[in-house]
Amino acid sequence: MLPAGVDFAHRLAAALSGPDPVIVMYSAEHRASESDWNLVPLAPGLTVLRLDSAPVPAALRAASCKSLHNLDEEEALEVLMAAISGPQNPFSRTP
């Protein structure tokens, strides 16, 4: 996981041009401005995960957005696994 830096929008754009899904974890502590977010292209592989109650930047609202805010560990893991197309309930055991 790479922390946001001055070139984060360009790194996200490069990652989104590849075959793998890209997850952006967003919080009120994020240093980017609205104009920074406007540089991030919306692509099918982009998922935005909110870590707190901060609103998702307008430029990302058309992406798949999920919230981890106020979820317990099991619920948060289920949302994360769904974001990467993994098992929907990693705690359930099949015989």
Side-chain angles (χ1 to χ4, degrees):
M1 178 182 339
L2 297 172
V6 293
D7 66 341
F8 85 96
H10 299 292
R11 291 189 322 216
L12 280 173
L16 286 165
S17 69
D20 296 323
V22 174
I23 297 174
V24 171
M25 300 178 91
Y26 181 78
S27 77
E29 300 298 318
H30 201 284
R31 299 181 305 260
S33 69
E34 200 64 40
S35 61
D36 292 328
W37 288 115
N38 288 331
L39 298 174
V40 176
L42 294 180
L46 177 63
T47 298
V48 179
L49 298 177
R50 282 189 318 122
L51 302 178
D52 55 25
S53 62
V56 173
L60 300 181
R61 289 186 190 139
S64 173
C65 298
K66 308 289 182 197
S67 178
L68 301 179
H69 183 59
N70 289 331
L71 298 182
D72 65 28
E73 182 179 345
E74 185 174 332
E75 293 168 325
L77 184 56
E78 193 168 316
V79 170
L80 285 169
M81 294 302 288
I84 61 168
S85 300
Q88 297 304 302
N89 187 349
F91 293 104
S92 67
R93 298 184 187 262
T94 54

